[in-house]
Amino acid sequence: MVAAPHGQAAEAGRAVLEEGGNAVEAALAAAAALTVVAPHLASLGGDCLWLIRDPAGRVTVIDAAGPAGAGVSAARMRAADHEAIPRRGPLAVLTVPGAVGGWLRAQEAARAFGGRMPTRRLMESAIELAQAGRNVSPAQQRASEQARAERDAMPGFAAAFLAPDGTAPATGTAQRCARLADTLDHLAAAGLDDVYHGDVAREMAADLERAGSPLARADFWAYRALTRPALSVSLPGLTLWAPPPPSHGLETLLTLALFGRLEVTQGESPAHLHGLIEAGALAARLAAPAITDSIVVTADPAALLAPEALAREAAGIDRHRATPGPRHAAPAGVPGSGWIGAADRNGVMVSAVHSLHDAFGAGLVLPATGVLMHNRGAAFSLDPRALTPLQPGRRPPVTLSPAFASLPDGRVLAFGSGGADAAQTSAIVLSRLLFGTPLGAALAAPRWRRGERLTIEAGIDEGIKDRLAAAGHDVEIIGAPFSDAMGHAGAVIRHPGMAELEGAHDPRGDGEARGL
């Protein structure tokens, strides 16, 4: 089974499974295809985080979100009259794109599970899709409409992604990807490491320098994705895994662990929604000091997840009143990241998120390679007193939060979300599954997001809305269902005994699940 944010990416992974590839190889093929068919979500110039679960249940993290380049400087930003880091254009490209470095680590993992697929086979669907040219999907069309007002700040963006008159292309419009096709074909022959130590690295670094980004070839040369242990927390009958800081995986685990201690018994009830909203708000506050580069972390994630700490914090949640005060405002609009899940017949599972940070990232398309660059550097602050100050070599906070869960009934779940508040979205989906909601319905049911107001999708029960408002939540209903502002989630479930797999992707996006 493979689930991906675009049907053609899911099919690329399914074809690898059909030819005997394992789940990691299938996820690699899906990820490569995603960079072509969903350029607003993923790119060779982006980042990724992987969780890989072996048949014995051990979970490993591939952390492929790169550090800031050696030449980045907050003083340079301020000298250019920027009070904050730009979200678009060359000065938003401040961190090494780690995605392909993550693929290299994933290839190592695939071989450890007996994988024998050559790089060219894993890249085959992506190359063919790029040579044929992509057709603009509904989500890409909406993302283009969202980004086009900033086109003048994004060199190469209009030519690559907009209609000739500068408007967003219609759904189904064919877009040429010849330069990207050549780059993918070159990597299939030269190897993925070429992005950091070969011809592709040279061309990308030269184009970045000409555009005005501080990233240099030496930054590419020094980069290597990290393999790290996963964070984990156990509840009665339930074990959860997520990536450690600077990922927001800690926030996902805290949200679910705190909610579990509220002992809510009925799904889709006022207690369910209020409890999860309040657990998520508290989790965000507790996790914030820890979601920073691990070399300077100011809070111990393991201590936050200790049973006594969770019990103490959960006891402070008011089950009837909303906590006053400002809340983190998650980005609205079309996501800039996408979740991929995979499982094979031998028990290997993958939960991974690929990302450009914002939809289309920095919007900077490098002319020699056709690679679109991310804007992960916008997550830094120019304030030297901030938890995440812009500094050379430092890694920014990463909202990506792929996860695994081992459920009380023996099911194993790979799940995650792109966009919105990924931690809250993942918690919503998993909580619904724990209350017995079927997977498709758990993904499709109305969701919410925290911000200055509590924004809820149309379709929520009026009684629940009224009870939330009475509890002090400032409720706003979005007029239409399936809003991009709620993110695009997905899941792959292995049922007990490995006899059955189940998968689905979010109806809010272009995703699908494909299986054998």
Side-chain angles (χ1 to χ4, degrees):
M1 179 74 70
V2 179
H6 192 288
Q8 288 177 299
E11 176 57 27
R14 188 209 63 81
V16 164
L17 289 173
E18 187 173 45
E19 294 175 26
N22 60 40
V24 180
E25 291 172 318
L28 277 166
L34 196 67
T35 67
V36 178
V37 297
H40 57 296
L41 299 178
S43 169
L44 303 179
D47 288 330
C48 61
L49 280 176
W50 293 59
L51 266 65
I52 300 174
R53 188 180 190 272
D54 70 17
R58 294 179 294 255
V59 177
T60 301
V61 176
I62 297 174
D63 182 341
V72 305
S73 167
R76 177 181 176 182
M77 290 285 183
R78 288 190 290 267
D81 294 327
H82 291 294
E83 296 181 359
I85 296 169
R87 299 196 76 87
R88 302 291 193 184
L91 288 181
V93 186
L94 303 174
T95 61
V96 180
V100 179
W103 296 358
L104 283 162
R105 288 287 196 180
Q107 277 192 305
E108 295 171 3
R111 295 184 188 113
F113 297 130
R116 295 292 181 268
M117 290 271 181
T119 300
R120 177 161 290 281
R121 174 60 193 89
L122 298 178
M123 305 291 283
E124 183 177 290
S125 293
I127 294 168
E128 291 176 353
L129 289 165
Q131 288 173 338
R134 78 173 69 84
N135 292 317
V136 174
S137 70
Q140 185 188 338
Q141 192 281 330
R142 296 193 300 274
S144 301
E145 185 65 47
Q146 182 178 294
R148 70 185 184 90
E150 301 169 279
R151 60 188 179 273
D152 291 343
M154 302 186 289
F157 177 80
F161 301 118
L162 297 182
D165 63 356
T167 61
T171 297
T173 299
Q175 291 184 332
R176 291 177 51 80
C177 316
R179 191 70 70 183
L180 179 59
D182 291 343
T183 299
L184 292 166
D185 187 66
H186 175 83
L187 293 177
L192 299 177
D193 188 61
D194 201 80
V195 169
Y196 303 99
H197 300 134
D199 294 339
V200 173
R202 183 190 66 245
E203 296 298 334
M204 288 178 67
D207 280 344
L208 284 166
E209 181 180 10
R210 281 189 285 268
S213 166
L215 274 190
R217 188 173 184 185
D219 299 318
F220 283 76
W221 185 269
Y223 179 70
R224 184 170 175 80
L226 305 173
T227 300
R228 308 175 65 192
L231 287 179
S232 181
V233 66
S234 293
L235 302 172
L238 174 69
T239 303
L240 303 164
W241 294 266
S247 156
H248 278 237
L250 173 62
E251 186 179 334
T252 300
L253 299 186
L254 282 169
T255 300
L256 287 161
L258 291 167
F259 177 73
R261 280 162 171 76
L262 300 181
E263 299 181 341
V264 176
T265 59
Q266 182 180 352
E268 306 307 318
S269 65
H272 175 200
L273 272 68
H274 173 78
L276 206 51
I277 292 162
E278 292 302 303
L282 177 56
R285 291 195 298 272
L286 293 173
I291 299 177
T292 184
D293 196 318
S294 56
I295 62 172
V296 292
V297 68
T298 58
D300 179 8
L304 292 171
L305 293 168
E308 59 274 14
L310 292 169
R312 181 181 64 251
E313 296 294 346
I317 295 176
D318 190 326
R319 304 186 186 211
H320 306 288
R321 296 296 302 172
T323 304
R327 303 187 181 216
H328 169 69
V334 181
S337 54
W339 179 84
I340 294 172
D344 63 33
R345 61 173 58 89
N346 296 316
V348 178
M349 298 183 73
V350 172
S351 181
V353 178
H354 287 70
S355 178
L356 289 163
H357 192 51
D358 289 332
F360 290 113
L364 172 64
V365 180
L366 305 183
T369 58
V371 172
L372 173 67
M373 297 302 297
H374 66 169
N375 64 334
R376 181 72 55 197
F380 283 119
S381 171
L382 295 182
D383 183 351
R385 300 163 297 179
L387 277 172
T388 56
L390 179 62
Q391 295 172 348
R394 187 159 182 159
R395 294 187 301 153
V398 178
T399 54
L400 317 185
S401 184
F404 280 118
S406 177
L407 306 187
D409 59 8
R411 289 178 294 169
V412 178
L413 173 73
F415 66 109
S417 174
D421 183 337
Q424 181 80 175
T425 301
S426 295
I428 292 168
V429 172
L430 181 58
S431 70
R432 285 174 167 157
L433 291 170
L434 292 171
F435 283 123
T437 306
L439 176 57
L443 290 168
R447 295 204 290 260
W448 59 87
R449 61 188 293 269
R450 305 186 311 264
E452 293 302 316
R453 306 184 72 185
L454 176 63
T455 305
I456 306 177
E457 284 181 302
I460 195 75
D461 181 86
E462 285 291 320
I464 293 176
K465 183 196 76 170
D466 293 342
R467 289 278 297 275
L468 290 173
H473 295 283
D474 185 7
V475 178
E476 175 187 24
I477 301 296
I478 295 178
F482 297 156
S483 167
D484 288 317
M486 302 301 163
H488 297 169
V492 170
I493 303 174
R494 177 176 294 287
H495 288 260
M498 298 197 298
E500 183 180 339
L501 291 169
E502 184 181 1
H505 221 284
D506 207 309
R508 293 162 184 81
D510 305 318
E512 295 182 18
R514 303 278 179 96
L516 302 177

